[in-house]
Amino acid sequence: MIPAPWLGTRAVLCLSALRSKLTRRLVDHEEKLTPTSCAVFLPLCHKEDQLSLLFTRRTDNLNHHTGQVSFPGGRCDEKETAQETSVREMAEEIGIEPLEVWGCLRRPVISLRLENVYGCVGYLGSVDDTEFKLSEAEVSHVFTVPLETLLQTRFVRNYPNHVTNAKQQWKRFTKELANDQESHDRYQTLTAIRAIEQYSMPGFPSPISTDPDIWGLTAIMTDRLFHAALRDDGYPKHDFLPIKEE
């Protein structure tokens, strides 16, 4: 766990303060995307008067990310924006639409399936479990975690890099990107990923003992949300370098 001088700041406890900080730092991403991209919605809400973030637990019969904790979202339809995709997918998965959409995190996260995953942020209002109409095929249940709890329990762990000396599709993909000037940053990122033996990842424990931790892409999105809101208060930008294990 890292020191947390930002705990108790108004941006963690007060909706108007959080909205003010995030709307200055989020972007619109108004471009139309292709079905090779995905988007998720990071749903802020009030639950029992606490400013919280809502997560879903995926069902055990899906082909990908079975049983994992995630945000509502999925693959973009042809000519959809990231915001349109994330709002549509949330309505399909948990039967609710946001009261407010504030924007998207500045840069997409590259998944291990080589997809650009955009994170859109907004506010649902005060929620009650009875409001949700879950897609039985996709969502086992939903839960919320207060922002303060997430910040208090954040951890960082090392993971082995299964892409090292990697699968041929990674080598072929990075070679293609090397000649594409518009994808230069992504090429550098993927090349760096292939070169390391292990990496560190932020994570957050689930409040439900039978659920897995909040980790992977969902934890990265959560961490980037906090960095956007709290970097003036000292919240660090995670660099994925391996940590020294005690």
Side-chain angles (χ1 to χ4, degrees), residues 58-79:
R58 293 168 63 85
T59 58
D60 293 329
N61 56 358
L62 293 170
N63 292 329
H64 301 291
H65 311 298
T66 302
Q68 291 186 8
V69 174
S70 65
F71 290 120
R75 193 174 298 280
C76 297
D77 285 346
E78 192 71 41
K79 296 184 178 180

PDB file of all heavy atoms in Angstrom, residues 58-79:
ATOM      1  N   ARG A  58     -18.537 -10.609 -14.046  1.00  0.00           N
ATOM      2  CA  ARG A  58     -18.954 -11.332 -15.245  1.00  0.00           C
ATOM      3  C   ARG A  58     -19.364 -12.763 -14.901  1.00  0.00           C
ATOM      4  O   ARG A  58     -18.880 -13.345 -13.926  1.00  0.00           O
ATOM      5  CB  ARG A  58     -17.818 -11.336 -16.282  1.00  0.00           C
ATOM      6  CG  ARG A  58     -17.542  -9.939 -16.832  1.00  0.00           C
ATOM      7  CD  ARG A  58     -16.257  -9.869 -17.616  1.00  0.00           C
ATOM      8  NE  ARG A  58     -16.276 -10.702 -18.800  1.00  0.00           N
ATOM      9  CZ  ARG A  58     -16.775 -10.328 -19.970  1.00  0.00           C
ATOM     10  NH1 ARG A  58     -17.307  -9.127 -20.103  1.00  0.00           N
ATOM     11  NH2 ARG A  58     -16.742 -11.139 -21.014  1.00  0.00           N
ATOM     12  N   THR A  59     -20.252 -13.314 -15.701  1.00  0.00           N
ATOM     13  CA  THR A  59     -20.731 -14.674 -15.442  1.00  0.00           C
ATOM     14  C   THR A  59     -19.635 -15.689 -15.762  1.00  0.00           C
ATOM     15  O   THR A  59     -18.634 -15.378 -16.408  1.00  0.00           O
ATOM     16  CB  THR A  59     -21.979 -14.986 -16.286  1.00  0.00           C
ATOM     17  OG1 THR A  59     -21.659 -14.826 -17.686  1.00  0.00           O
ATOM     18  CG2 THR A  59     -23.130 -14.054 -15.928  1.00  0.00           C
ATOM     19  N   ASP A  60     -19.862 -16.918 -15.334  1.00  0.00           N
ATOM     20  CA  ASP A  60     -18.855 -17.969 -15.494  1.00  0.00           C
ATOM     21  C   ASP A  60     -18.964 -18.716 -16.818  1.00  0.00           C
ATOM     22  O   ASP A  60     -18.208 -19.664 -17.054  1.00  0.00           O
ATOM     23  CB  ASP A  60     -18.976 -18.976 -14.344  1.00  0.00           C
ATOM     24  CG  ASP A  60     -18.590 -18.363 -13.007  1.00  0.00           C
ATOM     25  OD1 ASP A  60     -17.723 -17.464 -13.006  1.00  0.00           O
ATOM     26  OD2 ASP A  60     -19.152 -18.772 -11.978  1.00  0.00           O
ATOM     27  N   ASN A  61     -19.901 -18.297 -17.675  1.00  0.00           N
ATOM     28  CA  ASN A  61     -20.076 -19.044 -18.931  1.00  0.00           C
ATOM     29  C   ASN A  61     -19.683 -18.227 -20.164  1.00  0.00           C
ATOM     30  O   ASN A  61     -20.020 -18.590 -21.283  1.00  0.00           O
ATOM     31  CB  ASN A  61     -21.540 -19.502 -19.077  1.00  0.00           C
ATOM     32  CG  ASN A  61     -22.522 -18.352 -18.988  1.00  0.00           C
ATOM     33  OD1 ASN A  61     -22.120 -17.216 -18.781  1.00  0.00           O
ATOM     34  ND2 ASN A  61     -23.806 -18.648 -19.143  1.00  0.00           N
ATOM     35  N   LEU A  62     -18.946 -17.135 -19.961  1.00  0.00           N
ATOM     36  CA  LEU A  62     -18.496 -16.332 -21.094  1.00  0.00           C
ATOM     37  C   LEU A  62     -17.200 -16.896 -21.664  1.00  0.00           C
ATOM     38  O   LEU A  62     -16.450 -17.586 -20.980  1.00  0.00           O
ATOM     39  CB  LEU A  62     -18.278 -14.879 -20.646  1.00  0.00           C
ATOM     40  CG  LEU A  62     -19.546 -14.124 -20.233  1.00  0.00           C
ATOM     41  CD1 LEU A  62     -19.174 -12.796 -19.585  1.00  0.00           C
ATOM     42  CD2 LEU A  62     -20.461 -13.894 -21.417  1.00  0.00           C
ATOM     43  N   ASN A  63     -16.923 -16.553 -22.911  1.00  0.00           N
ATOM     44  CA  ASN A  63     -15.713 -17.068 -23.561  1.00  0.00           C
ATOM     45  C   ASN A  63     -14.448 -16.340 -23.111  1.00  0.00           C
ATOM     46  O   ASN A  63     -13.362 -16.908 -23.129  1.00  0.00           O
ATOM     47  CB  ASN A  63     -15.849 -16.950 -25.084  1.00  0.00           C
ATOM     48  CG  ASN A  63     -16.898 -17.881 -25.642  1.00  0.00           C
ATOM     49  OD1 ASN A  63     -17.122 -18.960 -25.094  1.00  0.00           O
ATOM     50  ND2 ASN A  63     -17.568 -17.470 -26.717  1.00  0.00           N
ATOM     51  N   HIS A  64     -14.604 -15.068 -22.730  1.00  0.00           N
ATOM     52  CA  HIS A  64     -13.436 -14.270 -22.357  1.00  0.00           C
ATOM     53  C   HIS A  64     -13.669 -13.615 -20.998  1.00  0.00           C
ATOM     54  O   HIS A  64     -14.770 -13.206 -20.662  1.00  0.00           O
ATOM     55  CB  HIS A  64     -13.157 -13.187 -23.408  1.00  0.00           C
ATOM     56  CG  HIS A  64     -12.900 -13.727 -24.779  1.00  0.00           C
ATOM     57  ND1 HIS A  64     -11.762 -14.430 -25.098  1.00  0.00           N
ATOM     58  CD2 HIS A  64     -13.653 -13.694 -25.910  1.00  0.00           C
ATOM     59  CE1 HIS A  64     -11.811 -14.785 -26.370  1.00  0.00           C
ATOM     60  NE2 HIS A  64     -12.947 -14.354 -26.882  1.00  0.00           N
ATOM     61  N   HIS A  65     -12.587 -13.519 -20.203  1.00  0.00           N
ATOM     62  CA  HIS A  65     -12.625 -12.839 -18.901  1.00  0.00           C
ATOM     63  C   HIS A  65     -13.717 -13.409 -17.999  1.00  0.00           C
ATOM     64  O   HIS A  65     -14.404 -12.685 -17.274  1.00  0.00           O
ATOM     65  CB  HIS A  65     -12.814 -11.328 -19.092  1.00  0.00           C
ATOM     66  CG  HIS A  65     -11.885 -10.721 -20.090  1.00  0.00           C
ATOM     67  ND1 HIS A  65     -10.507 -10.735 -19.928  1.00  0.00           N
ATOM     68  CD2 HIS A  65     -12.117 -10.110 -21.283  1.00  0.00           C
ATOM     69  CE1 HIS A  65      -9.939 -10.137 -20.963  1.00  0.00           C
ATOM     70  NE2 HIS A  65     -10.883  -9.755 -21.793  1.00  0.00           N
ATOM     71  N   THR A  66     -13.832 -14.715 -18.033  1.00  0.00           N
ATOM     72  CA  THR A  66     -14.869 -15.393 -17.267  1.00  0.00           C
ATOM     73  C   THR A  66     -14.750 -15.105 -15.778  1.00  0.00           C
ATOM     74  O   THR A  66     -13.675 -15.239 -15.189  1.00  0.00           O
ATOM     75  CB  THR A  66     -14.762 -16.920 -17.493  1.00  0.00           C
ATOM     76  OG1 THR A  66     -14.891 -17.176 -18.886  1.00  0.00           O
ATOM     77  CG2 THR A  66     -15.846 -17.657 -16.735  1.00  0.00           C
ATOM     78  N   GLY A  67     -15.851 -14.699 -15.156  1.00  0.00           N
ATOM     79  CA  GLY A  67     -15.898 -14.505 -13.717  1.00  0.00           C
ATOM     80  C   GLY A  67     -15.111 -13.326 -13.184  1.00  0.00           C
ATOM     81  O   GLY A  67     -15.010 -13.150 -11.972  1.00  0.00           O
ATOM     82  N   GLN A  68     -14.567 -12.497 -14.067  1.00  0.00           N
ATOM     83  CA  GLN A  68     -13.734 -11.387 -13.602  1.00  0.00           C
ATOM     84  C   GLN A  68     -14.586 -10.174 -13.232  1.00  0.00           C
ATOM     85  O   GLN A  68     -15.717 -10.020 -13.682  1.00  0.00           O
ATOM     86  CB  GLN A  68     -12.716 -11.004 -14.672  1.00  0.00           C
ATOM     87  CG  GLN A  68     -11.640 -12.044 -14.901  1.00  0.00           C
ATOM     88  CD  GLN A  68     -10.576 -11.574 -15.870  1.00  0.00           C
ATOM     89  OE1 GLN A  68     -10.542 -10.414 -16.274  1.00  0.00           O
ATOM     90  NE2 GLN A  68      -9.674 -12.477 -16.243  1.00  0.00           N
ATOM     91  N   VAL A  69     -13.989  -9.315 -12.421  1.00  0.00           N
ATOM     92  CA  VAL A  69     -14.599  -8.028 -12.102  1.00  0.00           C
ATOM     93  C   VAL A  69     -14.287  -7.058 -13.236  1.00  0.00           C
ATOM     94  O   VAL A  69     -13.150  -7.000 -13.722  1.00  0.00           O
ATOM     95  CB  VAL A  69     -14.070  -7.484 -10.763  1.00  0.00           C
ATOM     96  CG1 VAL A  69     -14.588  -6.071 -10.510  1.00  0.00           C
ATOM     97  CG2 VAL A  69     -14.483  -8.411  -9.618  1.00  0.00           C
ATOM     98  N   SER A  70     -15.283  -6.294 -13.664  1.00  0.00           N
ATOM     99  CA  SER A  70     -15.087  -5.427 -14.820  1.00  0.00           C
ATOM    100  C   SER A  70     -15.983  -4.194 -14.707  1.00  0.00           C
ATOM    101  O   SER A  70     -16.794  -4.070 -13.799  1.00  0.00           O
ATOM    102  CB  SER A  70     -15.410  -6.185 -16.115  1.00  0.00           C
ATOM    103  OG  SER A  70     -16.794  -6.518 -16.142  1.00  0.00           O
ATOM    104  N   PHE A  71     -15.813  -3.297 -15.666  1.00  0.00           N
ATOM    105  CA  PHE A  71     -16.764  -2.211 -15.881  1.00  0.00           C
ATOM    106  C   PHE A  71     -17.703  -2.618 -17.019  1.00  0.00           C
ATOM    107  O   PHE A  71     -17.318  -3.408 -17.889  1.00  0.00           O
ATOM    108  CB  PHE A  71     -16.044  -0.919 -16.262  1.00  0.00           C
ATOM    109  CG  PHE A  71     -15.255  -0.299 -15.143  1.00  0.00           C
ATOM    110  CD1 PHE A  71     -13.889  -0.104 -15.271  1.00  0.00           C
ATOM    111  CD2 PHE A  71     -15.875   0.094 -13.972  1.00  0.00           C
ATOM    112  CE1 PHE A  71     -13.154   0.482 -14.249  1.00  0.00           C
ATOM    113  CE2 PHE A  71     -15.150   0.672 -12.935  1.00  0.00           C
ATOM    114  CZ  PHE A  71     -13.791   0.863 -13.070  1.00  0.00           C
ATOM    115  N   PRO A  72     -18.916  -2.082 -17.052  1.00  0.00           N
ATOM    116  CA  PRO A  72     -19.791  -2.343 -18.208  1.00  0.00           C
ATOM    117  C   PRO A  72     -19.123  -1.845 -19.484  1.00  0.00           C
ATOM    118  O   PRO A  72     -18.531  -0.766 -19.508  1.00  0.00           O
ATOM    119  CB  PRO A  72     -21.050  -1.523 -17.890  1.00  0.00           C
ATOM    120  CG  PRO A  72     -20.986  -1.220 -16.439  1.00  0.00           C
ATOM    121  CD  PRO A  72     -19.535  -1.168 -16.083  1.00  0.00           C
ATOM    122  N   GLY A  73     -19.211  -2.629 -20.545  1.00  0.00           N
ATOM    123  CA  GLY A  73     -18.604  -2.192 -21.796  1.00  0.00           C
ATOM    124  C   GLY A  73     -18.475  -3.332 -22.781  1.00  0.00           C
ATOM    125  O   GLY A  73     -18.856  -4.472 -22.500  1.00  0.00           O
ATOM    126  N   GLY A  74     -17.933  -3.016 -23.933  1.00  0.00           N
ATOM    127  CA  GLY A  74     -17.766  -4.041 -24.958  1.00  0.00           C
ATOM    128  C   GLY A  74     -17.243  -3.445 -26.247  1.00  0.00           C
ATOM    129  O   GLY A  74     -16.758  -2.303 -26.302  1.00  0.00           O
ATOM    130  N   ARG A  75     -17.374  -4.207 -27.304  1.00  0.00           N
ATOM    131  CA  ARG A  75     -16.823  -3.830 -28.604  1.00  0.00           C
ATOM    132  C   ARG A  75     -17.683  -2.758 -29.268  1.00  0.00           C
ATOM    133  O   ARG A  75     -18.913  -2.753 -29.158  1.00  0.00           O
ATOM    134  CB  ARG A  75     -16.740  -5.070 -29.500  1.00  0.00           C
ATOM    135  CG  ARG A  75     -15.917  -4.884 -30.749  1.00  0.00           C
ATOM    136  CD  ARG A  75     -15.775  -6.201 -31.509  1.00  0.00           C
ATOM    137  NE  ARG A  75     -15.089  -7.191 -30.696  1.00  0.00           N
ATOM    138  CZ  ARG A  75     -13.773  -7.253 -30.536  1.00  0.00           C
ATOM    139  NH1 ARG A  75     -12.998  -6.360 -31.131  1.00  0.00           N
ATOM    140  NH2 ARG A  75     -13.226  -8.189 -29.792  1.00  0.00           N
ATOM    141  N   CYS A  76     -17.009  -1.847 -29.976  1.00  0.00           N
ATOM    142  CA  CYS A  76     -17.719  -0.765 -30.667  1.00  0.00           C
ATOM    143  C   CYS A  76     -18.442  -1.294 -31.904  1.00  0.00           C
ATOM    144  O   CYS A  76     -17.908  -2.140 -32.634  1.00  0.00           O
ATOM    145  CB  CYS A  76     -16.733   0.320 -31.103  1.00  0.00           C
ATOM    146  SG  CYS A  76     -15.882   1.144 -29.735  1.00  0.00           S
ATOM    147  N   ASP A  77     -19.642  -0.818 -32.111  1.00  0.00           N
ATOM    148  CA  ASP A  77     -20.309  -1.030 -33.395  1.00  0.00           C
ATOM    149  C   ASP A  77     -19.710  -0.083 -34.421  1.00  0.00           C
ATOM    150  O   ASP A  77     -19.070   0.916 -34.069  1.00  0.00           O
ATOM    151  CB  ASP A  77     -21.812  -0.775 -33.267  1.00  0.00           C
ATOM    152  CG  ASP A  77     -22.537  -1.900 -32.539  1.00  0.00           C
ATOM    153  OD1 ASP A  77     -21.930  -2.990 -32.374  1.00  0.00           O
ATOM    154  OD2 ASP A  77     -23.694  -1.694 -32.129  1.00  0.00           O
ATOM    155  N   GLU A  78     -19.926  -0.382 -35.689  1.00  0.00           N
ATOM    156  CA  GLU A  78     -19.378   0.444 -36.756  1.00  0.00           C
ATOM    157  C   GLU A  78     -19.820   1.900 -36.595  1.00  0.00           C
ATOM    158  O   GLU A  78     -21.000   2.190 -36.394  1.00  0.00           O
ATOM    159  CB  GLU A  78     -19.843  -0.081 -38.116  1.00  0.00           C
ATOM    160  CG  GLU A  78     -19.116   0.511 -39.301  1.00  0.00           C
ATOM    161  CD  GLU A  78     -17.679   0.015 -39.414  1.00  0.00           C
ATOM    162  OE1 GLU A  78     -17.437  -1.176 -39.199  1.00  0.00           O
ATOM    163  OE2 GLU A  78     -16.813   0.855 -39.723  1.00  0.00           O
ATOM    164  N   LYS A  79     -18.852   2.820 -36.630  1.00  0.00           N
ATOM    165  CA  LYS A  79     -19.075   4.262 -36.594  1.00  0.00           C
ATOM    166  C   LYS A  79     -19.697   4.748 -35.281  1.00  0.00           C
ATOM    167  O   LYS A  79     -20.395   5.763 -35.259  1.00  0.00           O
ATOM    168  CB  LYS A  79     -19.916   4.699 -37.794  1.00  0.00           C
ATOM    169  CG  LYS A  79     -19.211   4.470 -39.130  1.00  0.00           C
ATOM    170  CD  LYS A  79     -20.029   4.989 -40.288  1.00  0.00           C
ATOM    171  CE  LYS A  79     -19.288   4.790 -41.607  1.00  0.00           C
ATOM    172  NZ  LYS A  79     -20.070   5.287 -42.772  1.00  0.00           N
TER     173      LYS A  79
END
